C-alpha cells in the first residue's frame, strides 16, 4: 500500500476541500424543506464515485430519498467489500447555539484536536466518515493497489430510519452480493486509544399525544376541574421509570442479555474518567440505572429518553391556558435480544393502560432498529483490528457502543453478511448537537486505515 | 332611564359596528410583535371617549402600554363611579384552530346564541365587555340622563399582569378618587340565569428551566448515563400533586380559607350539570381534588396547572437527542388568604429542593394576583343586583369565580375602593381559546344594565 499512502499524503488538501463542498449542502432528511439539497447531495456522491473510477454508478430511486450505488469488480475470484454510509444529516437546530453556521464549514483548533477540526453538521456523522471511503478508494485506484472488489451503497435516510433501504436490499440481493460490509459511522475511544465497535443498541421510537378537553381552556375558569394534558403527560412519563431508574413497562427487561461478571470486568478495562466526563458536560452528577457503571449504562443497558416535549403556550410572557393537547417524542435504546417491535408494542400497551379516563392517548410508532453484535473472531473484525494497529501503531480495543445503526441487523438478515464497524469519530465530536465537528487527524487516519483493511481482508480470505 | 334605553335600542347596529372595528386591531400585549397595534387600540378608545362626551381624555404613558383615562364630573356632591377595563387581548394561537381569523370578526348564530354572537379574539375578554361601558355612557350623555360622575381607566396590560397599573394608580390617587369601581370582565351562569361574581381566585405564575448537560447530546451515546432534563422536569411536575390531586408544596394550604358546610350547601344551589359539562368539553371524566365538587374545584380551591411545556426536538420526524434544557410555564390559582408572594416563594423553595444533583433549576416568577371577595351587603353589589333584576327580570345569584382579576385587590389596597364585578360573558365564550366569541344578547344586555347601576348606586348613596 506504499504508493497508496504516498498518494494520500500528497492529496490531503484536495480531500479536505472536497469534504468542505459536500458539507455545504444541507441534506437534512427529517425536514421536507431541504428536499432539493438532499437530492443534490446524492448527485454529488455519484459524481465523485465516477471520477474516482467506480463502474455502474447509479442514483437509485426509492419511495423516499435515493441510494447511490457504485462498484469496481477487478476479479470475480477475489473477495468483495460492500461499503455502506449515509449522505443525509440530522437537523441543525437549535441554530442559535452554533458558534458558526451549521452549513458553512470552518476549520478550528481545539484542545482535543490541536491540528484542527472541521465544524459543520454532518462533519463526522456521516459525511466525513463516509467520504473517507471514497478517498481511500480514489487513492487505491490512482496507485493501482486496489486488492479486491468493492461496492458502494450510500443512502440518504439513515437519520429518519432507513425505511426504504430495506426494500432496496431485498430487491437487489445479487447486485449487493459481497463477503463483508464495512461501515464508518461509529467512533474510537480517543485518538491515542483506537477501538472498534462490536455491539450496537437497538431503537424503539414513538410519538405520543395526550388529549384532554376539546379546546384550549382558561386556566382560571377550568383550572382544578379538568385533566390538564400537560400535567397528565408529565405524570405518565414520570411513571415510566422508578426510583432506581428502572423502566417500569411490564416485560421491558424480559429478553435483555445479561452480561457475565467476566464480560463486565473486561469492559471495565477501557479507560474512563467519570470526573472528566462530568466536566466535559458541565454536570455535577451522572444519572442512571442503579447497579451499573456509566459506561455500562451507555452500552449494555436499555434506556428510555424523552427526545422532545411540547404543549400549551410557549411564547413570550404568561398565558393562563389549559391546553387541549400535549405531545412527546420518546425513544428507547435496546440491547441484544430485545426487538423494536416487541418493545414498541409493550410501550404502547402500557402507555395506553396508564392513561386516566379524563384524557385520550394516541401512540404513534416511528422507526425502530435491532441491536447487533460483531464477533471479534470474524475475519472482518481481524482485518479491521490489524489495519488500525498498522495505522495507529496500537491494537484497538473492542467496545460496545450505545448508539444504534439499525441497518446492521437488517444486512445480516437480508444479505447474510456481518458488518464491521470501523469508525473514527470521538464522543466529543458533538454529533446530533450544535457545533458538530470532526478532527482532521481522524479524517486522514480513516482514509489511511481503510486500504489496509482491504489488504488484510483479502489475505485473510485466502 | 327611559330615553337612555330608547337611544340604546335605536343605535344597536352602530354599537356593533364600532365594536367590530375595535376587534380588528390585534392588541396582543404578550407579544412585542403587536406593539403598534396595542398603541393604536389605546388611541381608538381615547377617540371614542372624546366623541361620547368625556372630559380630560388622556392616553397616559407608562413604562409599558398606556392607560386611557377620561371623566365626566357633573356635580362634586354626587357619587363617582370608576370604570375599569382593558383593551389588550390574549395571544390568538393556536391559529390553526380558529374557524375564522382571530382578528377578522364575524357574526354567527350558535345553539347558545340564537340571535348571533361575534367571533374574534377579545370579543368577550375584554374589548366587548369594556366597550359596553363606553356605549352606556354615550347613551346616558346623549339623553341627558347621566345620574352621577364617572371616570374611565382602561389599561393595556391586563393579560400580562397589569405591572404598570399599580404605579399609575399610586401616582394618581386624587385623580382616580371615586366611590366604587365597576368592572365587566367576568360572566353570568347563563343568559336566563344572571349572576354576579363575588369572589375571585388569585394567581401565582412562574416559569421554570431545567438544565442538564451543557449541550444537546446524542441519545444513543449518552442515553442512560446523564439526566435527561425533559424526563426530570416531568418527574418534578408529577411530584407537585399526589394521588388525590392535592398539591404537595409544603405549606401550600396553610392559609386556605375553608368554607363552612352551610356556605358549600349554598354554593351547591347554583344550577350545574356534570353531564353537560363533560359533553361540552368532550371528556369522559372530570379530574380534580378529592373531596370537592367540580364547581368547588373551580372556585373555592387552589390549583396548579402547567400552562406550557417545551424542550428537545419538536419538529417533523424523529431526532434522537437528549436536550440540554427543558422549560415549563406553571400557574397556581389562589383562594382567599393565600398571597401570590407567599405561594411563589413556597413553590420556588420546593421546586429547587426537589431537583436532583444531576440538573440545575431556575425558577423565574412572572406576575401574580391576590384573591378577592366582594361583600353582598355593599351598596355597590346591591346596585348591580337591582340593575340586573331590572334588565333580566330575574334576581342574579352571587357566585365565586375561578378566574383572577389581580387588580381588584390592588384597587382596595391603594384606592380603598370595593370593586363590583358585573360581567355578562358565558363560560362557553371560549375566552383565551380559539374561536372566542361574545353573544349579541350579552353585549346589548350589558349596555342596557349599566345605566341602571348608575341610577341605583346614586340613589342608594343618598
Amino acid at each position: 500500500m506504499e504508493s497508496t499512502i504516498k498518494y494520500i499524503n500528497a492529496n490531503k488538501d484536495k480531500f479536505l476541500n472536497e469534504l468542505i463542498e459536500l458539507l455545504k449542502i444541507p441534506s437534512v432528511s427529517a425536514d421536507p424543506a431541504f428536499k432539493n439539497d438532499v437530492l443534490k447531495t446524492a448527485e454529488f456522491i455519484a459524481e465523485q464515485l465516477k471520477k474516482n473510477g467506480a463502474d455502474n454508478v447509479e442514483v437509485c430511486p426509492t419511495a423516499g430519498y435515493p441510494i447511490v450505488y457504485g462498484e469496481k469488480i477487478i476479479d470475480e475470484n477475489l473477495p468483495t467489500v460492500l461499503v455502506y454510509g449515509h449522505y443525509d444529516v440530522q437537523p441543525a437546530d437549535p441554530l442559535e447555539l452554533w458558534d458558526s453556521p451549521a452549513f458553512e464549514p470552518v476549520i478550528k483548533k481545539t484542545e482535543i484536536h490541536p491540528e484542527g477540526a472541521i465544524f459543520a453538521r454532518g462533519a463526522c456523522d456521516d459525511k466525513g466518515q463516509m467520504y473517507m471511503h471514497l478517498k481511500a478508494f480514489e487513492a487505491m485506484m490512482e496507485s493501482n493497489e486496489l486488492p479486491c472488489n468493492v461496492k458502494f451503497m450510500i443512502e440518504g435516510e439513515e437519520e429518519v430510519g432507513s425505511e426504504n433501504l430495506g426494500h432496496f436490499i431485498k430487491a437487489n440481493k445479487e447486485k449487493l452480493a459481497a463477503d463483508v460490509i464495512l461501515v464508518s459511522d461509529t467512533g474510537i475511544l480517543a485518538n491515542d486509544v483506537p477501538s472498534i465497535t462490536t455491539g450496537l443498541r437497538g431503537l424503539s421510537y414513538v410519538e405520543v399525544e395526550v388529549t384532554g378537553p376539546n379546546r384550549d381552556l382558561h386556566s382560571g375558569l377550568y383550572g382544578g376541574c379538568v385533566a390538564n394534558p400537560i400535567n397528565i403527560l408529565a405524570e405518565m412519563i414520570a411513571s415510566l421509570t422508578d426510583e432506581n431508574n428502572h423502566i417500569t413497562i411490564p416485560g421491558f427487561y424480559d429478553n435483555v442479555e445479561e452480561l457475565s461478571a467476566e464480560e463486565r470486568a473486561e469492559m471495565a478495562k477501557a479507560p474512563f474518567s467519570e470526573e472528566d466526563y462530568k466536566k466535559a458536560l458541565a454536570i455535577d452528577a451522572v444519572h442512571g440505572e442503579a447497579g451499573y457503571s456509566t459506561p455500562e449504562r451507555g452500552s449494555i443497558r436499555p434506556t428510555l429518553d424523552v427526545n422532545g416535549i411540547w404543549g400549551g403556550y410557549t411564547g413570550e410572557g404568561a398565558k393562563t391556558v389549559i391546553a387541549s393537547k400535549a405531545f412527546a417524542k420518546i425513544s428507547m435504546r435496546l440491547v441484544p435480544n430485545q426487538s423494536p417491535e416487541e418493545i414498541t408494542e409493550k410501550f404502547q400497551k402500557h402507555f395506553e393502560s396508564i392513561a386516566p379516563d379524563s384524557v385520550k392517548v394516541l401512540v404513534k410508532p416511528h422507526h425502530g432498529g435491532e441491536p447487533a453484535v460483531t464477533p471479534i473472531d470474524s475475519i472482518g473484525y481481524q482485518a479491521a483490528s490489524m489495519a488500525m494497529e498498522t495505522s495507529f501503531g496500537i491494537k484497538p480495543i473492542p467496545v460496545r457502543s450505545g448508539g444504534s445503526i439499525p441497518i446492521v441487523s437488517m444486512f445480516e438478515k437480508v444479505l447474510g453478511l456481518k458488518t464491521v464497524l470501523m469508525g473514527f469519530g470521538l464522543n466529543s465530536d458533538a454529533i446530533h448537537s450544535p457545533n458538530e465537528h470532526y478532527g482532521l487527524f481522524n479524517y486522514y487516519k480513516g482514509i489511511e486505515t481503510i486500504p489496509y483493511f482491504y489488504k488484510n481482508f483479502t489475505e485473510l480470505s485466502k
Side-chain angles (χ1 to χ4, degrees), chain A residues 180-182 194-199 373-389 395-400 418-422 453 456-457 460:
Chain A
V180 71
I181 297 175
L182 182 61
S195 58
I196 297 173
T197 302
T198 57
V373 177
T374 316
I376 62 176
D377 55 8
S378 62
I379 293 178
Y381 181 85
Q382 293 302 325
S385 180
M386 288 159 57
M388 275 190 162
E389 191 167 0
K395 193 174 200 303
I397 305 172
V399 297
R400 291 286 195 93
K418 280 287 180 191
T419 297
V420 175
L421 298 165
M422 189 172 73
F453 173 87
N456 300 337
F457 188 78
L460 291 167

mmCIF file of all heavy atoms in Angstrom, chain A residues 180-182 194-199 373-389 395-400 418-422 453 456-457 460:
data_model
loop_
_atom_site.group_PDB
_atom_site.id
_atom_site.type_symbol
_atom_site.label_atom_id
_atom_site.label_comp_id
_atom_site.label_asym_id
_atom_site.label_seq_id
_atom_site.Cartn_x
_atom_site.Cartn_y
_atom_site.Cartn_z
ATOM 1 N N VAL A 180 -18.276 -9.054 3.037
ATOM 2 C CA VAL A 180 -18.328 -8.328 4.313
ATOM 3 C C VAL A 180 -18.865 -6.913 4.034
ATOM 4 O O VAL A 180 -18.767 -6.417 2.912
ATOM 5 C CB VAL A 180 -16.926 -8.245 4.968
ATOM 6 C CG1 VAL A 180 -16.024 -7.291 4.184
ATOM 7 C CG2 VAL A 180 -17.016 -7.804 6.438
ATOM 8 N N ILE A 181 -19.443 -6.319 5.059
ATOM 9 C CA ILE A 181 -19.894 -4.927 4.938
ATOM 10 C C ILE A 181 -19.016 -4.068 5.840
ATOM 11 O O ILE A 181 -18.757 -4.416 7.001
ATOM 12 C CB ILE A 181 -21.378 -4.797 5.336
ATOM 13 C CG1 ILE A 181 -22.234 -5.610 4.359
ATOM 14 C CG2 ILE A 181 -21.807 -3.333 5.328
ATOM 15 C CD1 ILE A 181 -23.696 -5.666 4.707
ATOM 16 N N LEU A 182 -18.516 -2.993 5.286
ATOM 17 C CA LEU A 182 -17.634 -2.089 6.035
ATOM 18 C C LEU A 182 -18.336 -0.738 6.210
ATOM 19 O O LEU A 182 -18.801 -0.139 5.238
ATOM 20 C CB LEU A 182 -16.312 -1.907 5.282
ATOM 21 C CG LEU A 182 -15.263 -1.020 5.963
ATOM 22 C CD1 LEU A 182 -14.840 -1.595 7.309
ATOM 23 C CD2 LEU A 182 -14.044 -0.830 5.044
ATOM 24 N N PRO A 194 -7.282 3.686 19.985
ATOM 25 C CA PRO A 194 -8.180 3.193 18.937
ATOM 26 C C PRO A 194 -9.079 2.078 19.469
ATOM 27 O O PRO A 194 -8.687 1.360 20.401
ATOM 28 C CB PRO A 194 -7.224 2.677 17.867
ATOM 29 C CG PRO A 194 -5.941 2.404 18.574
ATOM 30 C CD PRO A 194 -5.866 3.421 19.691
ATOM 31 N N SER A 195 -10.270 1.977 18.904
ATOM 32 C CA SER A 195 -11.201 0.926 19.323
ATOM 33 C C SER A 195 -12.135 0.612 18.158
ATOM 34 O O SER A 195 -12.248 1.399 17.215
ATOM 35 C CB SER A 195 -12.009 1.405 20.536
ATOM 36 O OG SER A 195 -12.710 2.589 20.200
ATOM 37 N N ILE A 196 -12.772 -0.539 18.242
ATOM 38 C CA ILE A 196 -13.713 -0.961 17.206
ATOM 39 C C ILE A 196 -15.020 -1.345 17.890
ATOM 40 O O ILE A 196 -15.020 -2.049 18.904
ATOM 41 C CB ILE A 196 -13.164 -2.157 16.398
ATOM 42 C CG1 ILE A 196 -11.889 -1.736 15.651
ATOM 43 C CG2 ILE A 196 -14.211 -2.669 15.410
ATOM 44 C CD1 ILE A 196 -11.190 -2.893 14.963
ATOM 45 N N THR A 197 -16.129 -0.842 17.365
ATOM 46 C CA THR A 197 -17.432 -1.110 17.963
ATOM 47 C C THR A 197 -17.893 -2.517 17.603
ATOM 48 O O THR A 197 -18.017 -2.856 16.428
ATOM 49 C CB THR A 197 -18.454 -0.083 17.473
ATOM 50 O OG1 THR A 197 -17.981 1.224 17.807
ATOM 51 C CG2 THR A 197 -19.804 -0.314 18.122
ATOM 52 N N THR A 198 -18.151 -3.341 18.630
ATOM 53 C CA THR A 198 -18.575 -4.729 18.380
ATOM 54 C C THR A 198 -20.053 -4.923 18.717
ATOM 55 O O THR A 198 -20.627 -5.943 18.391
ATOM 56 C CB THR A 198 -17.753 -5.696 19.240
ATOM 57 O OG1 THR A 198 -17.916 -5.302 20.614
ATOM 58 C CG2 THR A 198 -16.285 -5.628 18.876
ATOM 59 N N GLY A 199 -20.642 -3.937 19.411
ATOM 60 C CA GLY A 199 -22.058 -4.056 19.748
ATOM 61 C C GLY A 199 -22.756 -2.735 19.579
ATOM 62 O O GLY A 199 -22.166 -1.674 19.790
ATOM 63 N N VAL A 373 -24.426 -7.356 17.275
ATOM 64 C CA VAL A 373 -23.109 -7.654 17.834
ATOM 65 C C VAL A 373 -22.210 -8.220 16.725
ATOM 66 O O VAL A 373 -22.666 -9.007 15.900
ATOM 67 C CB VAL A 373 -23.221 -8.681 18.985
ATOM 68 C CG1 VAL A 373 -21.831 -9.031 19.509
ATOM 69 C CG2 VAL A 373 -24.081 -8.135 20.110
ATOM 70 N N THR A 374 -20.944 -7.771 16.678
ATOM 71 C CA THR A 374 -19.980 -8.308 15.707
ATOM 72 C C THR A 374 -18.980 -9.207 16.427
ATOM 73 O O THR A 374 -18.302 -8.754 17.339
ATOM 74 C CB THR A 374 -19.154 -7.180 15.049
ATOM 75 O OG1 THR A 374 -20.042 -6.120 14.709
ATOM 76 C CG2 THR A 374 -18.437 -7.681 13.808
ATOM 77 N N PRO A 375 -18.888 -10.516 16.053
ATOM 78 C CA PRO A 375 -17.946 -11.408 16.739
ATOM 79 C C PRO A 375 -16.498 -10.999 16.463
ATOM 80 O O PRO A 375 -16.142 -10.714 15.320
ATOM 81 C CB PRO A 375 -18.237 -12.781 16.135
ATOM 82 C CG PRO A 375 -19.169 -12.575 14.997
ATOM 83 C CD PRO A 375 -19.619 -11.162 14.958
ATOM 84 N N ILE A 376 -15.675 -10.926 17.526
ATOM 85 C CA ILE A 376 -14.298 -10.442 17.349
ATOM 86 C C ILE A 376 -13.408 -11.511 16.728
ATOM 87 O O ILE A 376 -12.261 -11.235 16.389
ATOM 88 C CB ILE A 376 -13.696 -9.963 18.682
ATOM 89 C CG1 ILE A 376 -13.600 -11.102 19.712
ATOM 90 C CG2 ILE A 376 -14.535 -8.834 19.260
ATOM 91 C CD1 ILE A 376 -12.925 -10.689 21.000
ATOM 92 N N ASP A 377 -13.941 -12.732 16.546
ATOM 93 C CA ASP A 377 -13.099 -13.761 15.904
ATOM 94 C C ASP A 377 -13.388 -13.852 14.401
ATOM 95 O O ASP A 377 -12.866 -14.703 13.698
ATOM 96 C CB ASP A 377 -13.309 -15.127 16.569
ATOM 97 C CG ASP A 377 -14.775 -15.525 16.572
ATOM 98 O OD1 ASP A 377 -15.587 -14.814 15.923
ATOM 99 O OD2 ASP A 377 -15.125 -16.510 17.242
ATOM 100 N N SER A 378 -14.222 -12.943 13.874
ATOM 101 C CA SER A 378 -14.526 -12.976 12.440
ATOM 102 C C SER A 378 -13.372 -12.373 11.638
ATOM 103 O O SER A 378 -12.620 -11.537 12.150
ATOM 104 C CB SER A 378 -15.807 -12.180 12.173
ATOM 105 O OG SER A 378 -15.609 -10.821 12.536
ATOM 106 N N ILE A 379 -13.248 -12.819 10.386
ATOM 107 C CA ILE A 379 -12.194 -12.297 9.507
ATOM 108 C C ILE A 379 -12.313 -10.779 9.388
ATOM 109 O O ILE A 379 -11.329 -10.036 9.450
ATOM 110 C CB ILE A 379 -12.302 -12.920 8.088
ATOM 111 C CG1 ILE A 379 -11.996 -14.417 8.147
ATOM 112 C CG2 ILE A 379 -11.334 -12.234 7.128
ATOM 113 C CD1 ILE A 379 -12.121 -15.095 6.793
ATOM 114 N N GLY A 380 -13.556 -10.303 9.257
ATOM 115 C CA GLY A 380 -13.780 -8.864 9.099
ATOM 116 C C GLY A 380 -13.230 -8.088 10.280
ATOM 117 O O GLY A 380 -12.514 -7.100 10.114
ATOM 118 N N TYR A 381 -13.556 -8.545 11.497
ATOM 119 C CA TYR A 381 -13.071 -7.833 12.675
ATOM 120 C C TYR A 381 -11.545 -7.868 12.717
ATOM 121 O O TYR A 381 -10.892 -6.843 12.962
ATOM 122 C CB TYR A 381 -13.628 -8.438 13.967
ATOM 123 C CG TYR A 381 -13.147 -7.681 15.189
ATOM 124 C CD1 TYR A 381 -13.809 -6.536 15.624
ATOM 125 C CD2 TYR A 381 -11.978 -8.077 15.861
ATOM 126 C CE1 TYR A 381 -13.333 -5.813 16.708
ATOM 127 C CE2 TYR A 381 -11.493 -7.350 16.940
ATOM 128 C CZ TYR A 381 -12.175 -6.224 17.357
ATOM 129 O OH TYR A 381 -11.690 -5.498 18.420
ATOM 130 N N GLN A 382 -10.964 -9.055 12.421
ATOM 131 C CA GLN A 382 -9.495 -9.203 12.446
ATOM 132 C C GLN A 382 -8.835 -8.250 11.451
ATOM 133 O O GLN A 382 -7.836 -7.597 11.760
ATOM 134 C CB GLN A 382 -9.117 -10.664 12.130
ATOM 135 C CG GLN A 382 -9.536 -11.657 13.213
ATOM 136 C CD GLN A 382 -8.915 -11.311 14.565
ATOM 137 O OE1 GLN A 382 -7.788 -10.832 14.634
ATOM 138 N NE2 GLN A 382 -9.696 -11.506 15.628
ATOM 139 N N ALA A 383 -9.414 -8.167 10.251
ATOM 140 C CA ALA A 383 -8.833 -7.294 9.211
ATOM 141 C C ALA A 383 -8.845 -5.836 9.676
ATOM 142 O O ALA A 383 -7.872 -5.092 9.471
ATOM 143 C CB ALA A 383 -9.619 -7.442 7.914
ATOM 144 N N ALA A 384 -9.935 -5.431 10.338
ATOM 145 C CA ALA A 384 -10.046 -4.048 10.826
ATOM 146 C C ALA A 384 -9.063 -3.808 11.965
ATOM 147 O O ALA A 384 -8.374 -2.791 12.015
ATOM 148 C CB ALA A 384 -11.481 -3.778 11.287
ATOM 149 N N SER A 385 -8.993 -4.776 12.868
ATOM 150 C CA SER A 385 -8.105 -4.646 14.026
ATOM 151 C C SER A 385 -6.649 -4.494 13.577
ATOM 152 O O SER A 385 -5.922 -3.607 14.027
ATOM 153 C CB SER A 385 -8.265 -5.864 14.934
ATOM 154 O OG SER A 385 -7.404 -5.750 16.055
ATOM 155 N N MET A 386 -6.240 -5.353 12.627
ATOM 156 C CA MET A 386 -4.856 -5.283 12.118
ATOM 157 C C MET A 386 -4.618 -3.966 11.383
ATOM 158 O O MET A 386 -3.549 -3.352 11.512
ATOM 159 C CB MET A 386 -4.582 -6.464 11.188
ATOM 160 C CG MET A 386 -4.461 -7.806 11.894
ATOM 161 S SD MET A 386 -4.756 -9.204 10.759
ATOM 162 C CE MET A 386 -3.509 -8.896 9.510
ATOM 163 N N ALA A 387 -5.617 -3.496 10.630
ATOM 164 C CA ALA A 387 -5.456 -2.241 9.870
ATOM 165 C C ALA A 387 -5.239 -1.072 10.824
ATOM 166 O O ALA A 387 -4.337 -0.247 10.636
ATOM 167 C CB ALA A 387 -6.692 -1.995 9.000
ATOM 168 N N MET A 388 -6.021 -1.037 11.883
ATOM 169 C CA MET A 388 -5.872 0.059 12.855
ATOM 170 C C MET A 388 -4.540 -0.056 13.578
ATOM 171 O O MET A 388 -3.880 0.947 13.854
ATOM 172 C CB MET A 388 -7.014 0.030 13.872
ATOM 173 C CG MET A 388 -8.271 0.757 13.407
ATOM 174 S SD MET A 388 -9.422 0.910 14.775
ATOM 175 C CE MET A 388 -10.484 2.214 14.157
ATOM 176 N N GLU A 389 -4.131 -1.302 13.872
ATOM 177 C CA GLU A 389 -2.862 -1.474 14.568
ATOM 178 C C GLU A 389 -1.727 -0.929 13.692
ATOM 179 O O GLU A 389 -0.796 -0.293 14.182
ATOM 180 C CB GLU A 389 -2.632 -2.957 14.889
ATOM 181 C CG GLU A 389 -1.468 -3.190 15.846
ATOM 182 C CD GLU A 389 -1.430 -4.607 16.422
ATOM 183 O OE1 GLU A 389 -2.320 -5.417 16.077
ATOM 184 O OE2 GLU A 389 -0.514 -4.886 17.205
ATOM 185 N N LYS A 395 -2.917 -1.668 19.121
ATOM 186 C CA LYS A 395 -4.007 -2.607 18.859
ATOM 187 C C LYS A 395 -5.316 -2.021 19.393
ATOM 188 O O LYS A 395 -5.369 -1.585 20.557
ATOM 189 C CB LYS A 395 -3.703 -3.930 19.557
ATOM 190 C CG LYS A 395 -4.572 -5.099 19.130
ATOM 191 C CD LYS A 395 -4.080 -6.397 19.796
ATOM 192 C CE LYS A 395 -4.539 -7.655 19.086
ATOM 193 N NZ LYS A 395 -5.983 -7.766 18.940
ATOM 194 N N PRO A 396 -6.364 -1.950 18.577
ATOM 195 C CA PRO A 396 -7.617 -1.358 19.041
ATOM 196 C C PRO A 396 -8.366 -2.241 20.042
ATOM 197 O O PRO A 396 -8.210 -3.460 20.030
ATOM 198 C CB PRO A 396 -8.427 -1.197 17.758
ATOM 199 C CG PRO A 396 -7.883 -2.235 16.834
ATOM 200 C CD PRO A 396 -6.423 -2.372 17.165
ATOM 201 N N ILE A 397 -9.142 -1.607 20.915
ATOM 202 C CA ILE A 397 -9.955 -2.315 21.921
ATOM 203 C C ILE A 397 -11.365 -2.537 21.347
ATOM 204 O O ILE A 397 -11.944 -1.642 20.750
ATOM 205 C CB ILE A 397 -10.104 -1.448 23.194
ATOM 206 C CG1 ILE A 397 -8.736 -1.042 23.747
ATOM 207 C CG2 ILE A 397 -10.944 -2.162 24.242
ATOM 208 C CD1 ILE A 397 -8.834 -0.031 24.893
ATOM 209 N N PRO A 398 -11.908 -3.761 21.511
ATOM 210 C CA PRO A 398 -13.308 -3.964 21.095
ATOM 211 C C PRO A 398 -14.266 -3.359 22.139
ATOM 212 O O PRO A 398 -14.093 -3.603 23.319
ATOM 213 C CB PRO A 398 -13.446 -5.476 21.052
ATOM 214 C CG PRO A 398 -12.416 -5.999 22.002
ATOM 215 C CD PRO A 398 -11.298 -4.988 22.035
ATOM 216 N N VAL A 399 -15.233 -2.525 21.721
ATOM 217 C CA VAL A 399 -16.162 -1.930 22.682
ATOM 218 C C VAL A 399 -17.614 -2.013 22.201
ATOM 219 O O VAL A 399 -17.892 -2.038 21.008
ATOM 220 C CB VAL A 399 -15.844 -0.434 22.952
ATOM 221 C CG1 VAL A 399 -14.482 -0.254 23.582
ATOM 222 C CG2 VAL A 399 -15.961 0.372 21.671
ATOM 223 N N ARG A 400 -18.511 -2.042 23.189
ATOM 224 C CA ARG A 400 -19.946 -1.968 22.918
ATOM 225 C C ARG A 400 -20.324 -0.488 22.847
ATOM 226 O O ARG A 400 -19.960 0.280 23.742
ATOM 227 C CB ARG A 400 -20.740 -2.626 24.048
ATOM 228 C CG ARG A 400 -20.589 -4.121 24.144
ATOM 229 C CD ARG A 400 -21.349 -4.820 23.030
ATOM 230 N NE ARG A 400 -21.500 -6.242 23.326
ATOM 231 C CZ ARG A 400 -22.574 -6.749 23.941
ATOM 232 N NH1 ARG A 400 -23.572 -5.952 24.293
ATOM 233 N NH2 ARG A 400 -22.657 -8.030 24.194
ATOM 234 N N LYS A 418 -22.027 -10.124 7.801
ATOM 235 C CA LYS A 418 -21.626 -9.451 9.028
ATOM 236 C C LYS A 418 -21.116 -8.060 8.663
ATOM 237 O O LYS A 418 -20.590 -7.845 7.572
ATOM 238 C CB LYS A 418 -20.511 -10.232 9.723
ATOM 239 C CG LYS A 418 -21.016 -11.423 10.532
ATOM 240 C CD LYS A 418 -21.713 -10.948 11.804
ATOM 241 C CE LYS A 418 -22.234 -12.131 12.623
ATOM 242 N NZ LYS A 418 -23.128 -11.647 13.718
ATOM 243 N N THR A 419 -21.304 -7.121 9.559
ATOM 244 C CA THR A 419 -20.841 -5.758 9.331
ATOM 245 C C THR A 419 -19.675 -5.443 10.255
ATOM 246 O O THR A 419 -19.697 -5.805 11.428
ATOM 247 C CB THR A 419 -21.983 -4.762 9.611
ATOM 248 O OG1 THR A 419 -23.039 -5.015 8.692
ATOM 249 C CG2 THR A 419 -21.517 -3.326 9.460
ATOM 250 N N VAL A 420 -18.644 -4.810 9.718
ATOM 251 C CA VAL A 420 -17.522 -4.337 10.529
ATOM 252 C C VAL A 420 -17.688 -2.839 10.722
ATOM 253 O O VAL A 420 -17.809 -2.089 9.748
ATOM 254 C CB VAL A 420 -16.174 -4.645 9.844
ATOM 255 C CG1 VAL A 420 -15.045 -4.023 10.653
ATOM 256 C CG2 VAL A 420 -15.990 -6.143 9.693
ATOM 257 N N LEU A 421 -17.726 -2.422 11.988
ATOM 258 C CA LEU A 421 -17.942 -1.007 12.310
ATOM 259 C C LEU A 421 -16.613 -0.348 12.637
ATOM 260 O O LEU A 421 -16.226 -0.234 13.799
ATOM 261 C CB LEU A 421 -18.912 -0.889 13.478
ATOM 262 C CG LEU A 421 -20.305 -1.476 13.188
ATOM 263 C CD1 LEU A 421 -21.082 -1.669 14.468
ATOM 264 C CD2 LEU A 421 -21.054 -0.593 12.218
ATOM 265 N N MET A 422 -15.898 0.046 11.582
ATOM 266 C CA MET A 422 -14.585 0.671 11.765
ATOM 267 C C MET A 422 -14.763 2.186 11.630
ATOM 268 O O MET A 422 -14.612 2.747 10.553
ATOM 269 C CB MET A 422 -13.602 0.112 10.741
ATOM 270 C CG MET A 422 -12.167 0.539 10.986
ATOM 271 S SD MET A 422 -10.991 -0.331 9.906
ATOM 272 C CE MET A 422 -11.335 0.486 8.338
ATOM 273 N N PHE A 453 -7.372 -2.303 5.545
ATOM 274 C CA PHE A 453 -8.473 -3.246 5.780
ATOM 275 C C PHE A 453 -8.679 -4.098 4.530
ATOM 276 O O PHE A 453 -8.751 -5.325 4.597
ATOM 277 C CB PHE A 453 -9.769 -2.512 6.123
ATOM 278 C CG PHE A 453 -10.963 -3.444 6.211
ATOM 279 C CD1 PHE A 453 -11.280 -4.089 7.393
ATOM 280 C CD2 PHE A 453 -11.741 -3.726 5.078
ATOM 281 C CE1 PHE A 453 -12.356 -4.977 7.463
ATOM 282 C CE2 PHE A 453 -12.825 -4.609 5.142
ATOM 283 C CZ PHE A 453 -13.121 -5.241 6.339
ATOM 284 N N ASN A 456 -5.803 -6.599 4.282
ATOM 285 C CA ASN A 456 -5.903 -7.662 5.289
ATOM 286 C C ASN A 456 -7.062 -8.607 5.004
ATOM 287 O O ASN A 456 -6.927 -9.826 5.084
ATOM 288 C CB ASN A 456 -6.101 -7.058 6.692
ATOM 289 C CG ASN A 456 -4.953 -6.150 7.074
ATOM 290 O OD1 ASN A 456 -3.846 -6.274 6.552
ATOM 291 N ND2 ASN A 456 -5.222 -5.204 7.962
ATOM 292 N N PHE A 457 -8.196 -8.033 4.640
ATOM 293 C CA PHE A 457 -9.371 -8.868 4.420
ATOM 294 C C PHE A 457 -9.134 -9.806 3.240
ATOM 295 O O PHE A 457 -9.476 -10.987 3.281
ATOM 296 C CB PHE A 457 -10.616 -8.008 4.172
ATOM 297 C CG PHE A 457 -11.886 -8.814 4.122
ATOM 298 C CD1 PHE A 457 -12.482 -9.260 5.296
ATOM 299 C CD2 PHE A 457 -12.477 -9.167 2.914
ATOM 300 C CE1 PHE A 457 -13.649 -10.024 5.269
ATOM 301 C CE2 PHE A 457 -13.632 -9.926 2.872
ATOM 302 C CZ PHE A 457 -14.220 -10.358 4.052
ATOM 303 N N LEU A 460 -6.664 -12.550 4.480
ATOM 304 C CA LEU A 460 -7.284 -13.478 5.450
ATOM 305 C C LEU A 460 -8.357 -14.343 4.787
ATOM 306 O O LEU A 460 -8.690 -15.416 5.299
ATOM 307 C CB LEU A 460 -7.908 -12.688 6.611
ATOM 308 C CG LEU A 460 -6.924 -11.996 7.555
ATOM 309 C CD1 LEU A 460 -7.659 -11.005 8.457
ATOM 310 C CD2 LEU A 460 -6.185 -13.024 8.396
#
